[in-house]
Amino acid sequence: MAGEAGTTVRRLRDGMGNGVLSFPLTSFHEDGSLDPDGFRAHVAAQLATGPGAVFPACGTGEFFSLDEDEYRQVVSISVREAGGRVPVVAGIGYGWAQAVRFARIAEESGADALLVLPHYLVAAPQDGLVAQLEQIAARTRLPLIAYQRGQVAFTPASLRRIADIPNVIGLKDGHSDLDRLQRLTLAAPEGFLFFNGAATAEIQARAYATVGVPAYSSAVHAFAPEIADAFFAALRGGDDKTVDRFLREFYVPLVELRDRVPGYAVSLVKAAARLRGRPVGPVRAPLTDPSPADLAELRTLLATGLDLVGASL
């Protein structure tokens, strides 16, 4: 793979080997309006921990709640704060016509690549899933990473087809079907990137690595990079005892709390960031912030996780 896409692949691969992938939260004021200064501070703090790449305006960043002007601000701030140190991969989504509008904004704002979030609502055949990426790719120069989750699930044959699209460079998987994923990795050409995009990806990080997908996104990094980085180091260092302790005492209880209420995969992350004093604000509807009881449980759990790395609230 040559040109801009090849350079982005190399930078992403290098970053994936050195740290977790950061998916920053989008900061809102209490009235629901965008808080650019809060977001700038949050991204700067994320970058200071040395992530492998930054993915603004994706699922954790509430892409689905942003208008085009807000999206432009979020991507532009991320690019300026990154300053070329790590790749900036902006989320885009909906049908291809709308996705292209966001792609153009991301391109104008200086993003390095795009993560194509699952399209809106309807199920689609494999030919349609491939055509969606073809239409977007034909209208942007930026490299694309497909995201399969929900109603989007590629077959090995379709994976080969999207890998043949010149600027499609990788696939993020949120299904956690390791049989299917293994078939996809075997069908992919050499150099094609794969990412573990499971919710609270650390839970399945070891399993994903066994099928050739060691890179993962970390929602925990958005509020406790100390925990996320320590887990990453233990995992890459083969320290199973430490990995098991993190999973048993922090990650599994976090997932159990997350699964109680739809949308907590984002709401709990934002609430935890607020508990650490991060200026991220509330979530936007249709998401809701955690109940007082769940927030109290989250505080206790976060304190436990931070204690594992010698840190505190």
Side-chain angles (χ1 to χ4, degrees):
M1 185 176 294
E4 184 172 353
T7 299
T8 300
V9 167
R10 288 191 294 274
R11 294 183 68 206
L12 282 170
R13 183 177 290 110
D14 290 344
M16 287 155 43
N18 296 323
V20 299
L21 306 176
S22 171
F23 283 67
L25 302 157
T26 299
S27 299
F28 299 122
H29 293 292
E30 289 301 319
D31 65 0
S33 61
L34 184 69
D35 178 6
D37 292 336
F39 180 69
R40 185 177 294 106
H42 174 57
V43 171
Q46 290 281 284
L47 286 163
T49 66
V54 175
F55 288 68
C58 294
T60 306
E62 297 178 78
F63 165 77
F64 49 85
S65 292
L66 301 176
D67 66 27
E68 291 182 16
D69 179 64
E70 292 168 334
Y71 177 84
R72 185 184 299 275
Q73 293 184 69
V74 165
V75 177
S76 296
I77 288 170
S78 300
V79 170
R80 287 197 297 270
E81 291 299 319
R85 289 175 290 169
V86 297
V88 175
V89 184
I92 62 172
Y94 307 115
W96 67 259
Q98 288 176 287
V100 167
R101 291 174 66 92
F102 285 101
R104 288 171 179 160
I105 294 170
E107 186 171 332
E108 292 165 1
S109 301
D112 297 291
L114 303 168
L115 178 66
V116 183
L117 302 171
H119 64 271
Y120 173 69
L121 189 60
V122 296
Q126 291 294 307
D127 284 347
L129 298 180
V130 174
Q132 165 90 337
L133 289 170
E134 289 174 336
Q135 294 288 350
I136 297 169
R139 292 165 172 81
T140 180
R141 64 176 179 79
L142 292 181
L144 305 177
I145 299 169
Y147 188 3
Q148 65 168 18
R149 189 172 188 149
Q151 69 270 32
V152 176
F154 293 100
T155 64
S158 294
L159 189 283
R160 286 189 287 269
R161 291 173 63 189
I162 67 170
D164 283 340
I165 302 171
N167 52 338
V168 174
I169 64 172
L171 177 74
K172 181 181 180 184
D173 174 71
H175 284 294
S176 303
D177 181 338
L178 296 182
D179 179 278
R180 174 191 291 269
L181 186 58
Q182 181 69 91
R183 295 169 190 269
L184 294 177
T185 60
L186 294 173
E190 184 178 357
F192 197 74
L193 300 177
F194 284 90
F195 307 81
N196 168 3
T200 315
E202 285 91 343
I203 290 286
Q204 300 183 64
R206 280 189 297 201
Y208 268 80
T210 64
V211 295
V213 185
Y216 62 89
S217 57
S218 174
V220 170
H221 189 272
F223 63 85
E226 309 98 317
I227 298 173
D229 290 342
F231 181 89
F232 180 87
L235 182 67
R236 291 298 172 94
D239 185 353
D240 287 333
K241 183 177 180 180
T242 298
V243 168
D244 286 343
R245 187 179 183 195
F246 273 109
L247 292 174
R248 185 181 302 110
E249 298 183 26
F250 176 73
Y251 283 100
V252 169
L254 178 65
V255 168
E256 291 172 349
L257 179 57
R258 181 202 73 198
D259 288 347
R260 288 182 191 170
V261 178
Y264 264 19
V266 177
S267 301
L268 281 183
V269 175
K270 265 200 160 175
R274 291 195 300 274
L275 288 173
R276 308 276 330 266
R278 307 295 189 259
V280 298
V283 292
R284 275 183 175 173
L287 300 180
T288 59
D289 289 312
S291 68
D294 288 344
L295 186 61
E297 187 171 337
L298 176 63
R299 180 188 291 273
T300 299
L301 178 57
L302 179 55
T304 298
L306 290 169
D307 187 61
L308 292 173
V309 295
S312 64
L313 283 172

